[in-house]
Amino acid sequence: MITASVNPRHLGPRTWQQELAEAITSPEELAAALGLSPGLLAGAHAAGDRFPLRVPRGFVARMRHGDPNDPLLRQVLPVAEELRDSADYVDDPVGEHGALRAPGLLQKYRGRALLITTPTCAVHCRYCFRREFPYAEQGGDAPRWSEALAEIAADDSLEEVILSGGDPLSLSNARLGSLTRALAAIPHVRRIRVHTRQPVVLPSRVDAGLLQWLRAGVLPVIVVLHVNHPNELDEQLVDACGRLRATGTILLNQSVLLAGVNDDAEVLARLSRRLFEAGVLPYYLHALDPVRGAAHFAVDDERARALAGQLAARLPGYLVPRLVREVPGAPAKVALGGRF
Ligand SMILES: *Cc1c(COP(=O)(O)O)cnc(C)c1O
Ligand code: SF4
């Protein structure tokens, strides 16, 4: 049996591209790596047909062996519950189609626009609000960035561009560099923000070229990571965060509140503390976007507010993420937490 953490010595250290290519995509292999019952496989295949399983081996290595309820496993294992359709759970839960200004360019909020740079992610998160996004129609490849870049250049109210996807760090360092140079040539663009989960599931992505790109400082870069559970923050990830921070990059984190993963004040408090140790400050705790197939992750608003209150009662303010929801048409993310 092959275990998830196999890293054959004779092959030397893996590049992130190799690790990406070796990600687990077969439910059988994932179940075998974790010593799980084959009983899970029927659901995994049925739900995986709609949105396939994909998880890097290094992330699997952080899961508990033999535990079908592991909070990291729950984020990536397709399950039959995804196929139970529910009227409130839809393909475009946050109204992205209405916010498109150019292929792949979304604007909802004043001063900042979001660029879908690639359809690719190193991991497939079962609750992803873009799991049904029509990437093929919306750019995600270089020739089509030109229209989005022209749109940004024509609007001097846009001072921040958010690189999103998919995962923008699926792009090569060379492509990140050329995109940044194109953005830096637009005088009113002052900051770039990168929303990424890739360093979390694939810390080797934080390679010399990426650090060099950040150090080049063509424009200030803010990196918003996506960590949902403290078990995701192993030594390798903490080390990768340290290297990112050493470039002067500001590191923030956003999480999604997920039933059976992190809907527990103690878990959320541990996550915030661990993020701080890694040099990352909590930014947002998002209520689940009601995307088709994710209803089993929902936490109702009342419980979400109670959790936010318990978290605020445990931690200094700067370690308490803002509990927010994306509401189509609203001028900003909407605070859910009342006082918190
Ligand atoms: C979430 C989001 C942003 C970022 O919002 P902030 O509150 O600035 O973090 C920007 N654009 C779009 C389309 C978004 O969905
Ligand atoms: S990494 Fe982000 S964009 Fe990719 S599947 Fe996960 S939540 Fe969605």
Side-chain angles (χ1 to χ4, degrees):
M1 186 175 75
I2 297 174
T3 60
S5 53
V6 159
N7 182 2
R9 272 273 174 75
H10 62 279
L11 295 176
R14 324 295 285 149
T15 64
W16 69 268
Q17 289 93 340
Q18 283 170 317
E19 288 188 25
L20 194 60
E22 292 165 1
I24 292 183
T25 54
S26 133
E28 280 77 11
E29 195 179 354
L30 182 58
L34 291 169
L36 296 172
S37 143
L40 297 171
L41 296 176
H45 281 288
D49 282 347
R50 205 145 95 176
F51 181 48
L53 165 73
R54 181 180 182 85
V55 56
R57 286 164 200 274
F59 195 69
V60 176
R62 293 171 234 169
M63 298 173 186
R64 289 189 293 257
H65 198 83
D67 181 359
N69 298 316
D70 178 87
L72 278 55
L73 177 67
R74 185 163 163 84
Q75 295 178 55
V76 303
L77 179 70
V79 292
E81 286 155 296
E82 294 177 30
L83 301 171
R84 237 188 286 135
D85 276 334
S86 155
D88 302 333
Y89 285 74
V90 297
D91 285 355
D92 179 20
V94 293
E96 296 209 306
H97 293 299
L100 282 161
R101 288 188 57 165
L105 186 72
L106 292 161
Q107 188 185 7
K108 289 185 172 176
Y109 308 136
R110 190 182 295 175
R112 51 229 197 267
L114 185 151
L115 187 60
I116 306 280
T117 56
T118 167
T120 308
C121 292
V123 65
H124 287 176
C125 311
R126 308 315 301 173
Y127 52 83
C128 177
F129 72 101
R130 288 206 186 109
R131 54 178 284 171
E132 307 285 347
F133 191 82
Y135 288 109
E137 297 160 27
Q138 292 304 331
D141 47 28
R144 302 189 66 172
W145 290 345
S146 56
E147 254 183 87
L149 288 167
E151 182 75 13
I152 296 167
D155 180 352
D156 65 10
S157 76
L158 293 176
E159 57 184 48
E160 176 167 344
V161 176
I162 299 172
L163 308 186
S164 183
D167 198 309
L169 294 188
S170 306
L171 299 174
S172 68
N173 296 325
R175 292 187 71 198
L176 282 172
S178 60
L179 181 55
T180 316
R181 283 190 297 277
L183 289 169
I186 303 172
H188 51 265
V189 174
R190 311 300 283 275
R191 305 182 289 280
I192 293 181
R193 199 190 320 175
V194 178
H195 276 212
T196 178
R197 188 149 161 76
Q198 195 142 10
V200 179
V201 298
L202 205 69
S204 57
R205 178 62 188 92
V206 183
D207 63 2
L210 186 73
L211 297 171
Q212 203 176 353
W213 172 65
L214 290 167
R215 267 194 305 264
V218 179
L219 283 172
V221 179
I222 298 146
V223 171
V224 182
L225 297 172
H226 175 179
V227 183
N228 295 315
H229 191 281
N231 292 3
E232 294 173 45
L233 280 150
D234 68 352
E235 285 310 313
Q236 263 187 301
L237 175 51
V238 172
D239 185 66
C241 291
R243 282 181 280 132
L244 287 169
R245 283 229 311 150
T247 66
T249 302
I250 291 174
L251 297 181
L252 302 174
N253 185 64
Q254 57 180 1
S255 308
V256 183
L257 183 59
L258 299 165
V261 174
N262 58 8
D263 57 338
D264 177 302
E266 208 41 60
V267 169
L268 290 169
R270 271 200 287 132
L271 173 60
S272 279
R273 291 193 189 100
R274 188 77 179 134
L275 285 167
F276 179 77
E277 285 163 12
V280 184
L281 287 179
Y283 180 42
Y284 282 145
L285 175 61
H286 283 271
L288 180 74
D289 295 316
V291 68
R292 189 157 68 102
H296 57 293
F297 285 114
V299 176
D300 68 56
D301 284 3
E302 200 181 331
R303 261 200 79 225
R305 285 193 195 97
L307 285 166
Q310 290 161 18
L311 195 58
R314 276 173 169 77
L315 294 172
Y318 59 86
L319 291 186
V320 181
R322 287 179 57 211
L323 176 65
V324 292
R325 158 167 296 134
E326 179 100 21
V327 176
K333 311 279 186 220
V334 174
L336 233 185
R339 284 189 299 138
F340 307 107

